[in-house]
Each structure stands twice: as C-alpha cells, then as structure tokens.
C-alpha cells in the first residue's frame, strides 16, 4: 500500500485507530469477522460517517454476509487477498469518496447561495414523487418542520394551496406529457395562521426519453404586495377613467402622460391626440407670469390651486378650476404632476345667482321695511285703540307674508296671479266659483307687482268683509283682468275688483291706509294708475299699468 502512494496505519482496535490518526480516515480495512466486524464497523461509521469500510473476510468465499454486516460494510474482499484487486478497489472507493465530497460541497454551496439570495426553490422528481426544497421555500409556504431523513409529504404542500386555486394548479401539474419547457403560475396560499398570500412560481420541466415530464424545478416568490398594488392601481385607474373631472398627469417637461375621459369631454381632444403633447397647448394661463409660476411649482413639487378661463377645441369658453399636485417616484423625487380640472361654469352661475339674490334681498328688504313702516303709521290713528291697531297691523302683515310665501316658493322669480288672489282671500276659500269669481287667464307676475297687488287685494278683501259684498249672504265679488294689445304703444294690464249685491255703499269720509293703497300706491308703484269708485251697487277698484311692469315680456 505504501508503495502505491497511500499512508497505511495499523490498529488493533477502534480506540487505537482514533488515537493514532489525526483527522478523518478516508478508508478503513477490517480484518475481522462476525459480530465483532459488525460492531467495529458501526463504531467507525458513528465516528466517521463519510468513511468507506472494506472487510477482508475468508467467509465471503463461502456465502453472503449477514444482513447486519452487509448494511454497514461498503465492500468485501475475500481472503487470501489479490494485491492488484485490493489496490483497484481502494482506488475506486477513494475516487468515489472524493466525488461524493465534491457533490456535498457543491450542494452546500448551492444551499448557501439559495439561503443568501432568499430563493424559494422546489425540486420535484416526478418519477419517484420525491421533493427537495430550500429552507426559504418551507418558510414561504409555512410548511411544518420534519425530522431528518423523513420524506417530504406532498399533502403538506397541497394543504397550503387556496381552495379556489387548487383545481387550476392541479390541472397544470397533471400535464405530464406536455411539450412546454417552462412555466409560470400565480396562485394563493393559506398559511397556518389563516393569512392569505399570493405566490408566483416559475421554472421548467425536464422530459425523459419517453417524452414525458420526469422532473420539475421551480422558483417561487411572494407577490402579495405586488398584487395589492395592482388592485389599488386598478381601482384608481377605474376612478380616474369614470371621473367627470378632467384628470391629467404630466412629466417634468410638462408633457402629457395620461389624459382621461373627463379631459376629453372638457377640452374636446382625445387621449391619442394629447399623450406626448405639451399641456400648454390646451391649458392657457391668464398671463406669462402665472404660467412661469406654475412651471416653477411643478419643478419644486409644490401644490397649487387656481382658476382660469379656457377655450375648448370647439371654441367654447369655460371657467376651469385647476388643482395641481406633485407626483413622486420610488426615491421620493418629483417626476411630474397630476392635475384635476373641473368645469366650474355651473358653480359660477350659482355664485352669480346668489349674488343676485342677495342684491334682490337687500333691495326688497328696504322696500318691505318702507311698506311695513307705512302700514304702521297708517294703521295707527287717534281714533284707533291699541287693540284695534294690533289687529289691523297684524292682518296687513299676514297679507304681505302671504305674497312673500308665494314668491319664495318660486325662488323669487314671480308668482301666479290666481294663486296671489286666492292667498289674499284664503279665509273665503269656500266662496270661490260661487260668490267670488275669477275672470282671466292666469299669468306669472313679477315679484314687485305681486307685493303691491297683494297689499291692494288684502285691503279690498278686508273692506269687503267689513262693509261690502263679503259682509252679506248675497254679495258677490268678481276679479277680472286682461292684457290689452291694441298695437298702439306698449301693452297694458287692466285689472278690476267689482262688488255687487252687497249692502248699500257709503263713501268714507276719511281716507285711511287701505284707501291710499287702492287709490295711489298700487298704481304708482307699477308705473300706472289705480283708483276706487264707491258706486251705489258696490265698490269698484281698477288697476291700469304697463304689462311690462307686471309680467315678464
């Protein structure tokens, strides 16, 4: 053996062998038989798991070794030994030992690379249904721990697959004769704590000479965050696509990168026309200073809100509110801006309408206060008791309030003349069409006309209830109106209150507030004239004013 280049150490026992050598022996030759050989072999294997053991046994010529011996010994040589046979066997075993060491070193390096790179690798031998996987794979799939030497149970892996994805995944695995070389799957797993995670597995098939898949190696990744990001992005994309607002994004050069349907509706340019085009082509600023200021804010990543008037592709002019905010990349650097632009023409109209109403309210409040002040003065006289004053004043305010209720119900755009008459005669609702006759086509009258005519009707109805046609069972009131259009001069509205079949009429000796309203205020306030006649058969009140003062021309 020494002549062949090997170092040979002889020992009478295992203990002596351990004492005489430094390190691990590469090969041990036992020159003993029976139970002692089996015991020594087991002791050597326990001390040196990777060593090869060769037994020289004269009994090998006469029969097979016992199962216990065969399970431990790697090779047998019959005694007497042929030197060339011994050297050949030793050389072969040492080369095999070296190859196994290289393989194990390679496996260790591969395992180290897998762990360092965090790779979840599964190697599946389909023919033997055996699995080899990395520790990262076991961690990703939350596989239960297993004892060394215990075979990997495929059921443990299948238990992790989400039930809704199981059928599709098993269908892919069942295609053992498929011609594809590579695959990529995405599916969900359920960890033992109930957490659902998304996994992407990609790899390749290895086919045997028969054409069937015999082996599969896959590399898996946890893509839960990517899936959630995709879901959020899809949701945001849906919101942007369906938004009625124009939502646009630009890069740092102010070039359009996205252009939604709302922007198409607002500006009239399609997405295909706007992508890659400067936003300044369609979003025009009020002046150069404003444009430069918005450009500066874009580069610095500042938000801004402003309003501007734009001209659409069709030439229409629209008021637009612009809300610009920076967009940042993964490194927090500004990469562009997103703009939300809204047509605020309806808002502008509402604001103008509110301003109009406020002006109208101020104007009407002044007029109303003047009317109330006149009511108060005229309702109070030395011949009227405080109780009577309160009653008269309250009734007149009630009549005025009735007119205002009609106007407010139509947003102060006018009031129906028929509704105005009925509101002032609401205490006699049951007399309409029998003793109170309305003769005329209903018209919508202006707020100013409704207020003044309403006051006159209140005074007329109050007077009729106390002294006139409405104070008796036979009395009758006819309210008639018409718009005369003779073709000569402006159209005029004439209105008549006529009482008949009531008590004998006695002209008043003093003109109070009611008579002043009926004779002067109502007509003069509407740029015309009004007057009252105390005829023997009943009071007659007439109003003659330009139609433009009463109705919308």
């Amino acid at each position: 053996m020494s002549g062949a280049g090997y170092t040979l150490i002889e020992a009478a026992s295992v203990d002596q062998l351990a004492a005489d050598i430094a390190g691990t022996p590469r090969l041990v030759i036992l020159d003993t038989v029976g139970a002692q050989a089996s015991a020594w072999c087991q002791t050597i294997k326990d001390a040196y798991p990777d060593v090869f053991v060769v037994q020289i046994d004269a009994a090998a010529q006469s029969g097979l070794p016992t199962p216990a011996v065969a399970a431990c010994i790697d090779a047998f040589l019959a005694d007497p030994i042929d030197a060339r046979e011994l050297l050949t066997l030793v050389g072969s075993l040492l080369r095999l030992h070296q190859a196994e060491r290289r393989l194990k070193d390679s496996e260790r390096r591969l395992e180290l690379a897998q762990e360092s790179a965090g790779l979840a690798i599964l190697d599946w031998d389909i023919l033997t249904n055996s699995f080899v996987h990395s520790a990262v794979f076991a961690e990703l799939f939350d596989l239960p721990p297993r004892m060394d030497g215990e075979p990997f149970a495929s059921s443990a892996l299948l238990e992790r697959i989400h039930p809704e994805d199981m059928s599709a995944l098993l269908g892919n695995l069942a295609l053992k004769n498929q011609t594809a070389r590579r695959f990529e799957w995405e599916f969900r797993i359920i960890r033992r704590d109930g957490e659902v995670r998304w996994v992407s597995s990609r790899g390749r098939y290895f086919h045997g000479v028969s054409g069937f898949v015999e082996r599969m190696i896959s590399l898996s990744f946890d893509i839960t965050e990517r899936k959630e990001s995709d879901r959020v992005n899809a949701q945001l994309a849906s919101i942007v696509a369906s938004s009625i607002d124009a939502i646009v994004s630009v890069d740092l050069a102010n070039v359009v990168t996205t252009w939604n349907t709302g922007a198409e509706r607002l500006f009239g340019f399609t997405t295909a026309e706007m992508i890659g085009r400067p936003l300044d082509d369609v979003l025009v600023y009020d002046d150069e200073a404003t444009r430069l200021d918005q450009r500066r804010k874009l580069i610095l990543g500042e938000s801004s809100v402003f309003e501007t008037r734009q001209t659409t592709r069709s030439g229409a002019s629209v008021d637009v509110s612009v809300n610009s905010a920076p967009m940042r990349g993964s490194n927090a650097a500004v990469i562009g801006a997103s703009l939300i632009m809204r047509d605020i023409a309806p808002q502008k109209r509402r604001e103008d309408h509110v301003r109009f109403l406020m002006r109208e309210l101020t104007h009407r409040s002044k007029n109303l206060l003047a009317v109330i002040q006149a009511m108060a003065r005229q309702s109070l006289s030395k011949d009227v008791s405080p109780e009577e004053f309160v009653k008269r004043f309250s009734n007149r305010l009630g009549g005025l309030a009735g007119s205002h209720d009609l106007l407010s119900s139509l947003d102060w755009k006018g009031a129906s003349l028929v509704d105005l008459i009925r509101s002032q005669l609401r205490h006699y609702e049951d007399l309409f069409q029998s003793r109170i006759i309305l003769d005329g086509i209903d018209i919508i009258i202006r707020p100013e006309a409704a207020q003044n005519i309403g006051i006159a009707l209140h005074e007329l109805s109050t007077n009729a209830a106390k002294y006139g046609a409405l104070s008796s069972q036979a009395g009758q009131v006819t309210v008639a109106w018409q718009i005369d259009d003779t073709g000569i001069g402006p159209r005029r509205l004439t209105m008549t209150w006529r009482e008949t079949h009531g008590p004998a009429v006695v002209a008043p000796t003093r003109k109070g507030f009611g008579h002043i309203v009926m004779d002067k205020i109502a007509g003069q306030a509407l740029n015309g004239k009004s007057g009252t006649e105390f005829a023997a058969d009943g009071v007659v009140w007439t109003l003659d004013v330009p139609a433009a003062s009463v109705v919308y021309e």
Side-chain angles (χ1 to χ4, degrees):
M1 296 288 288
S2 300
Y6 300 111
T7 300
L8 182 63
I9 298 175
E10 295 186 31
S13 67
V14 176
D15 293 337
Q16 183 183 350
L17 176 65
D20 290 346
I21 67 171
T24 302
R26 299 172 65 189
L27 185 142
V28 175
I29 300 175
L30 290 178
D31 188 9
T32 184
V33 296
Q36 185 181 39
S38 177
W40 280 24
C41 179
Q42 191 61 53
T43 303
I44 293 171
K45 288 287 189 179
D46 290 342
Y48 311 107
D50 296 333
V51 73
F52 282 104
V53 178
V54 178
Q55 182 183 1
I56 299 174
D57 185 2
Q61 293 179 332
S62 58
L64 295 175
T66 63
V69 174
C72 183
I73 303 300
D74 296 296
F76 294 91
L77 279 176
D79 194 19
I81 302 172
D82 184 311
R84 288 178 298 177
E85 183 180 359
L86 174 61
L87 290 175
T88 300
L89 177 61
V90 169
S92 298
L93 290 176
L94 290 178
R95 286 193 297 274
L96 178 60
H97 182 273
Q98 186 178 15
E100 287 187 348
R101 289 193 57 140
R102 286 198 298 266
L103 178 60
K104 288 184 178 180
D105 289 343
S106 177
E107 289 177 347
R108 291 191 187 98
R109 287 193 294 270
L110 177 59
E111 184 177 354
L112 179 61
Q114 292 174 358
E115 302 300 333
S116 300
L119 301 179
I121 296 177
L122 174 68
D123 187 347
W124 177 25
D125 187 329
I126 297 177
L127 294 179
T128 62
N129 197 29
S130 59
F131 298 84
V132 177
H133 61 80
S134 66
V136 178
F137 182 89
E139 181 181 356
L140 172 60
F141 282 82
D142 196 19
L143 299 177
R146 57 193 178 97
M147 301 298 292
D148 291 340
E150 179 185 347
F152 178 82
S154 59
S155 60
L157 177 59
L158 294 178
E159 287 175 356
R160 299 277 77 83
I161 308 302
H162 195 288
E164 294 179 5
D165 298 337
M166 179 70 77
S167 178
L169 190 61
L170 291 179
N172 289 327
L173 292 173
L175 299 178
K176 294 184 179 180
N177 61 340
Q178 58 186 295
T179 58
R181 295 292 180 182
R182 300 186 181 277
F183 64 86
E184 183 171 356
W185 307 324
E186 290 185 358
F187 54 93
R188 288 164 293 175
I189 62 172
I190 303 178
R191 296 171 63 87
R192 282 179 288 177
D193 60 2
E195 181 186 14
V196 176
R197 308 291 294 180
W198 274 95
V199 172
S200 171
S201 290
R202 63 187 65 174
R204 63 172 299 174
Y205 300 108
F206 296 89
H207 297 74
V209 294
S210 63
F212 287 89
V213 177
E214 296 180 351
R215 186 182 179 196
M216 183 192 81
I217 297 179
S218 69
L219 180 62
S220 298
F221 303 91
D222 187 331
I223 59 170
T224 305
E225 284 70 25
R226 192 203 78 190
K227 281 289 187 178
E228 177 62 20
S229 177
D230 290 345
R231 185 192 66 81
V232 172
N233 289 339
Q235 186 178 31
L236 290 176
S238 176
I239 293 173
V240 170
S242 61
S243 175
I244 62 174
D245 294 332
I247 301 179
V248 177
S249 60
V250 297
D251 60 18
L252 288 177
N254 207 33
V255 173
V256 175
T257 55
T258 65
W259 184 269
N260 75 334
T261 305
E264 291 182 341
R265 287 194 297 265
L266 179 60
F267 291 98
F269 294 94
T270 66
T271 301
E273 291 174 315
M274 288 307 304
I275 298 297
R277 181 175 174 180
L279 183 59
D280 290 345
D281 287 356
V282 294
L283 184 61
V284 182
Y285 297 96
D286 295 336
D287 50 60
E288 183 64 13
T290 301
R291 189 188 72 80
L292 293 176
D293 182 58
Q294 294 304 315
R295 174 68 178 161
R296 178 187 63 81
K297 290 181 177 180
L298 168 62
I299 297 174
L300 295 178
E302 298 180 2
S303 299
S304 62
V305 178
F306 60 95
E307 294 181 2
T308 180
R309 174 159 289 188
Q310 299 297 307
T311 301
T312 67
R313 186 175 195 169
S314 65
S317 180
V318 293
D319 292 308
V320 177
S321 169
V322 182
N323 190 327
S324 174
M327 295 192 306
R328 300 183 183 274
S330 57
N331 60 353
V334 176
I335 59 174
S338 64
L339 300 92
I340 300 178
M341 294 174 282
R342 175 175 297 177
D343 181 359
I344 56 174
Q347 176 184 332
K348 289 288 188 180
R349 288 193 294 269
R350 288 193 297 270
E351 292 174 353
D352 291 342
H353 184 59
V354 169
R355 285 191 288 268
F356 166 76
L357 290 179
M358 293 302 296
R359 291 194 300 268
E360 284 292 305
L361 179 61
T362 300
H363 172 69
R364 297 184 192 286
S365 296
K366 290 180 179 179
N367 289 342
L368 183 61
L369 290 173
V371 171
I372 293 174
Q373 188 177 29
M375 283 182 179
R377 285 199 304 265
Q378 294 298 327
S379 299
L380 179 64
S381 68
K382 63 181 179 179
D383 298 329
V384 177
S385 67
E387 292 78 7
E388 183 64 20
F389 164 75
V390 171
K391 181 179 179 181
R392 290 182 182 181
F393 189 60
S394 297
N395 289 338
R396 285 167 175 162
L397 286 180
L400 186 61
S403 300
H404 278 244
D405 286 341
L406 286 176
L407 292 171
S408 62
S409 67
L410 294 178
D411 203 15
W412 282 86
K413 295 179 181 178
S416 159
L417 180 57
V418 171
D419 290 344
L420 179 65
I421 297 171
R422 286 182 172 275
S423 71
Q424 297 301 329
L425 295 171
R426 60 185 178 277
H427 298 302
Y428 308 99
E429 183 67 30
D430 58 329
L431 300 182
F432 278 96
Q433 303 306 322
S434 58
R435 294 176 55 197
I436 300 178
I437 308 300
L438 303 185
D439 182 12
I441 299 174
D442 194 14
I443 56 176
I444 302 298
I445 61 177
R446 295 177 179 272
E448 192 77 19
Q451 179 177 291
N452 285 281
I453 293 175
I455 293 174
L457 290 173
H458 172 76
E459 296 300 328
L460 287 166
S461 63
T462 300
N463 185 73
K466 287 184 176 181
Y467 314 110
L470 297 180
S471 66
S472 67
Q473 294 294 325
Q476 184 174 341
V477 174
T478 300
V479 183
W481 66 92
Q482 64 178 355
I483 295 178
D484 296 324
D485 188 2
T486 61
I488 302 175
R491 298 195 307 163
R492 301 188 70 82
L493 169 73
T494 57
M495 184 174 181
T496 303
W497 169 290
R498 185 180 301 276
E499 299 180 25
T500 56
H501 308 300
V505 175
V506 177
T509 58
R510 182 182 63 85
K511 288 189 176 182
F513 174 74
H515 292 166
I516 294 175
V517 168
M518 292 184 289
D519 287 349
K520 294 183 179 180
I521 294 179
Q524 292 176 358
L526 300 177
N527 301 319
K529 60 183 179 179
S530 60
T532 309
E533 176 186 354
F534 294 91
D537 57 346
V539 173
V540 178
W541 173 78
T542 57
L543 175 70
D544 182 4
V545 294
S549 299
V550 179
V551 299
Y552 293 98
E553 292 289 288

